[in-house]
Amino acid sequence: MWYYMKDSADSNDSNSYECGKPIETVVSGKAEGHFMIRIMCKDDIEQAAKIWLDTNLQAHSFISPNYWKDHLKLVKELLLQAQTYIYLDDISQEMQGFIGLDAEYIAGIFVCGGSQSHGIGKRLLDYVKRQHTQLSLHVYQKNIRAIKFYQRENFKIHSELIDADTGEKEYCMTWTQEKNES
């Protein structure tokens, strides 16, 4: 999902890294390979928007595809206003996913279909967790796979709501850094 993003007039101090420069580059064993996390640039918007649309269509089959397609233009405009980090394969330089934040609210984690279940969402989330002591997000109740992922990552269901746009039930989930996690 993509909810409220900061107004373009808002400052984004935590997004002070230079666009396109690696924030985190990891060269690890064969299981993980080479990857890089960096700030989203304007040139990344089309690819990120495609990942956003494809992922939402796949994960939210209970919502009309037109809902996602109708919001695509707005999402493209909001992507650069958010604190958005992209995950790239360091060798191919292909974007495989991204995470968008508004302060401590995770607007969404999106990973290409062929790259899902390979630890990319976890790596993006781990990167953001190292920068914050608490995070929150909304997830549709019917998106069981996402709920299980967030629960594995120590997010707790805080409350239940109804998404006004879709009429779907969703959870507000929260994560708070444990003292031994710092």
Side-chain angles (χ1 to χ4, degrees), residues 8-27:
S8 57
D10 290 347
S11 68
N12 202 352
D13 296 332
S14 60
N15 202 354
S16 60
Y17 297 100
E18 186 178 337
C19 177
K21 299 292 182 189
I23 296 170
E24 180 167 294
T25 303
V26 177
V27 179

Side-chain angles (χ1 to χ4, degrees), residues 15 18 28 47 64 95 98 106 128 133 136 143 147 157:
N15 202 354
E18 186 178 337
S28 49
Q47 190 173 8
S64 167
M95 184 189 309
F98 66 94
I106 298 174
V128 169
T133 57
S136 67
N143 191 346
I147 293 167
I157 295 173

Side-chain angles (χ1 to χ4, degrees), residues 61-95:
S61 59
F62 49 90
I63 296 173
S64 167
N66 288 334
Y67 173 80
W68 303 111
K69 292 173 185 174
D70 291 347
H71 285 82
L72 185 59
K73 183 178 178 185
L74 176 62
V75 166
K76 287 179 184 182
E77 294 170 8
L78 296 174
L79 277 169
L80 280 176
Q81 295 176 28
Q83 184 180 345
T84 306
Y85 302 100
I86 66 170
Y87 181 101
L88 296 167
D89 177 277
D90 200 29
I91 296 169
S92 70
Q93 292 297 300
E94 289 183 29
M95 184 189 309

